[in-house]
Amino acid sequence: MGRSPRMLQNYVPILIFLGVATGIGLVLLALGFLFGSGQKDAEKLSPYECGFEPFEDSRMKFDVRYYLVAILFIIFDLEIAFLFPWAVSLDSIGGFGLIAMAIFLTLLVVGFIYEWKKGALEWD
Amino acid sequence: MAEFLQSLMAYWESFPADLRFVVIATMQILAVTICVILTVAFTTYFERKVIGSMQGRIGPNRVGPLGLLQPFADVIKLLIKEVVIPQKSNRFLFVIAPLLSIIPALATWAVIPLSDGFVIADINAGLLYVLALTSVGVYGVILAGWATNSKYAFLGAMRSAAQIVAYEIAMGFALVGVLMAAGSLNLGDITRAQAGGLSHWFILPLLPLFFVYFISGVAETNRAPFDVAEGESEIVAGFHVEYSGVAFAVFFLAEYANMVLISALTAIFFLGGWASPFEGWSFLGDDSLLRATSFFWLAAKISFFIFVFFWLRATFPRYRYDQIMRLGWKVFIPITIVWIAVEGVMAWLHVGPWARLAS
């Protein structure tokens, strides 16, 4: 047991805070639905499209580049997740840790240059 | 009176320790949350005044002295406005989306050290928690845009998702640099690592990362000049085009709370948080108030960065979308990678302000 209950206790306020934040959001929305009254009709409830009748469902096809950005994000975010523990323990891993991370970063930079040259980062 | 207080104290002591802990934590949380919400309220007033005077206007001056009650008038107006849920929308997601924006914007304050010794949750993984929660914020925007089932909202959500995601990488890399210099994920320890006055703050050795972090923060909160997700002149209001009344107010609250949060985080990571800039000036005397660490310094730094947010908005025209993506991917990410490499090598060679790292 030793340390773990003490450590977990530090996280209790976070749980409470998440609850309080949810509560504030819910109360605000509830107040809005309580006080905000009005007549609803079909025109008011239709999606806004500059006064036109909406032509089609708006969940339409979108550019594949958005998808590409999402995939690249996952790769780089994982890279950052790897860098975090390394950065925190920098003073105890010395030159070996530095070189190991240099090799890892070099591999990723090569990949980054490749996708740059391939035009994955172009928006025109 | 004294007896009454004593008996009250005795009653309080009779509670189990765990319950007392929870009650105290809840009180602290409520106090911080109310302060954050009040800050947000006056931030909106501050924004209108600052931008007003930058454009040679007066700004709000009708409600209360100097217009100071304007934010409360706005809140009441938004509360009594009708909330319209469009017919073709996904009603559940439509209501959940503003909640998903506001919860992370408020709950991140749990790990922000407001002064030396006051932080609601003093956890080891504070910075990871901050990153995790700020990432959740993007769900609010995407879900709002998708659930609305309007083309403008959909376009705004797509733009904002790709933009936030791109700048989050630059932000993460900049934080790796901060971690290398501080050697801890705890925000209090990061602040303490910068003790000793202006010359010890991370802004000097990490100057490029500071700029990358703050500008990414502006992009992350969808503020001008990176506000293509809202872009009034092109896609009306982007992801919240169909939100009205209090549902809109919650998005608004979340956006401004995020701005204050980014300002606070920048102050903590690069400007020594609660530390005084004059800490190293021994000629001021040992007990000079100017040298003491206090919440006042953190508040001053936060206010300055909030001012910079408005300054940027009043100064720059909106970026084009391809320019935004180019800045994020092709400028910020290379800068941060290079700076992390520089920092690593410098620490290894015991050079410059990084020398203490490899001790």
Side-chain angles (χ1 to χ4, degrees):
Chain A
M1 290 291 278
R3 242 179 93 190
S4 61
R6 180 90 206 106
M7 263 184 73
L8 277 181
Q9 199 187 25
N10 283 336
Y11 286 85
V12 171
I14 285 185
L15 200 64
I16 303 173
F17 210 137
L18 285 171
V20 168
T22 317
I24 288 176
L26 281 175
V27 166
L28 275 176
L29 286 175
L31 283 177
F33 283 107
L34 199 67
F35 292 128
S37 55
Q39 300 289 317
K40 314 246 194 265
D41 59 60
E43 290 306 320
K44 193 191 229 174
L45 295 181
S46 65
Y48 168 64
E49 219 160 277
C50 290
F52 290 104
E53 293 286 320
F55 292 121
E56 56 193 354
D57 194 78
S58 355
R59 282 141 197 178
M60 50 195 174
K61 293 177 198 161
F62 59 87
D63 199 322
V64 71
R65 282 176 299 195
Y66 288 109
Y67 182 67
L68 211 57
V69 165
I71 291 179
L72 291 179
F73 166 71
I74 294 175
I75 298 169
F76 277 93
D77 218 33
L78 271 179
E79 186 183 345
I80 292 167
F82 278 130
L83 277 169
F84 266 31
W86 171 80
V88 171
S89 53
L90 193 65
D91 50 351
S92 53
I93 50 178
F96 173 74
L98 201 69
I99 290 165
M101 191 45 83
I103 295 171
F104 176 68
L105 267 184
T106 311
L107 286 175
L108 276 154
V109 167
V110 169
F112 184 62
I113 293 171
Y114 175 75
E115 77 196 30
W116 189 324
K117 291 288 169 211
K118 271 283 178 187
L121 306 175
E122 303 293 335
W123 291 73
D124 40 21
Chain B
M1 189 63 192
E3 280 165 29
F4 174 69
L5 281 178
Q6 258 172 3
S7 68
L8 208 64
M9 277 307 286
Y11 185 56
W12 170 243
E13 299 285 337
S14 69
F15 286 155
D18 288 346
L19 184 66
R20 272 186 291 166
F21 175 75
V22 168
V23 170
I24 291 177
T26 314
M27 291 297 171
Q28 287 178 338
I29 288 165
L30 285 175
V32 169
T33 317
I34 290 169
C35 288
V36 169
I37 292 177
L38 279 179
T39 310
V40 167
F42 284 107
T43 301
T44 62
Y45 169 79
F46 184 44
E47 168 169 38
R48 294 168 70 179
K49 275 287 185 196
V50 166
I51 293 185
S53 56
M54 282 183 179
Q55 296 170 345
R57 295 182 286 114
I58 299 173
N61 68 341
R62 293 287 156 170
V63 192
L66 296 171
L68 270 170
L69 296 179
Q70 184 70 42
F72 301 103
D74 290 341
V75 166
I76 293 170
K77 189 198 86 173
L78 284 168
L79 264 182
I80 56 176
K81 287 275 177 185
E82 182 185 0
V83 183
V84 177
I85 301 182
Q87 208 170 16
K88 290 188 173 174
S89 64
N90 183 326
R91 298 176 68 90
F92 176 68
L93 290 181
F94 190 84
V95 178
I96 286 292
L99 275 182
L100 274 179
S101 285
I102 190 73
I103 293 171
L106 290 179
T108 315
W109 287 91
V111 294
I112 306 285
L114 293 174
S115 70
D116 203 355
F118 182 79
V119 50
I120 288 172
D122 193 17
I123 58 174
N124 301 339
L127 204 145
L128 273 181
Y129 174 75
V130 168
L131 265 188
L133 275 199
T134 46
S135 307
V136 173
V138 71
Y139 283 102
V141 175
I142 297 178
L143 283 182
W146 192 82
T148 305
N149 202 351
S150 155
K151 292 195 180 77
Y152 295 116
F154 184 75
L155 286 174
M158 295 305 298
R159 287 177 175 195
S160 136
Q163 173 190 332
I164 292 181
V165 145
Y167 280 88
E168 198 156 298
I169 296 170
M171 226 171 178
F173 272 126
L175 291 185
V176 169
V178 173
L179 283 184
M180 287 168 76
S184 171
L185 282 164
N186 182 299
L187 297 191
D189 289 344
I190 292 177
T191 315
R192 275 183 281 274
Q194 304 174 61
L198 194 57
S199 58
H200 293 254
W201 291 356
F202 288 158
I203 186 171
L204 291 177
L206 306 179
L207 191 66
L209 297 185
F210 164 73
F211 284 112
V212 168
Y213 184 81
F214 187 69
I215 297 173
S216 302
V218 177
E220 193 97 332
T221 44
N222 284 324
R223 294 290 302 180
F226 302 103
D227 58 346
V228 289
E230 292 169 27
E232 295 86 357
S233 48
E234 329 155 14
I235 51 172
V236 200
F239 63 94
H240 56 55
V241 61
E242 293 283 6
Y243 280 86
S244 61
V246 95
F248 168 75
V250 171
F251 270 122
F252 200 73
L253 183 63
E255 180 180 331
Y256 279 75
N258 272 324
M259 270 169 57
V260 181
L261 186 70
I262 293 287
S263 305
L265 289 173
T266 315
I268 287 168
F269 293 144
F270 297 98
L271 292 181
W274 63 66
S276 155
F278 312 117
E279 213 176 331
W281 291 7
S282 47
F283 60 81
L284 284 172
D286 278 340
D287 44 0
S288 163
L289 264 183
L290 272 179
R291 291 179 63 197
T293 63
S294 75
F295 171 69
F296 167 77
W297 291 112
L298 181 63
K301 290 164 192 170
I302 294 177
S303 312
F304 172 72
F305 282 118
I306 293 177
F307 171 74
V308 175
F309 266 97
F310 303 149
W311 191 6
L312 291 175
R313 179 174 166 193
T315 309
F316 291 111
R318 184 176 299 133
Y319 266 80
R320 224 168 50 218
Y321 198 70
D322 61 317
Q323 292 172 325
I324 290 182
M325 294 312 264
R326 192 176 64 214
L327 185 68
W329 287 101
K330 296 189 175 175
V331 179
F332 281 179
I333 292 178
I335 287 180
T336 47
I337 291 180
V338 165
W339 208 254
I340 287 172
V342 168
E343 224 181 314
V345 171
M346 291 295 188
W348 192 34
L349 298 176
H350 297 259
V351 186
W354 304 280
R356 62 189 180 78
L357 289 178
S359 57

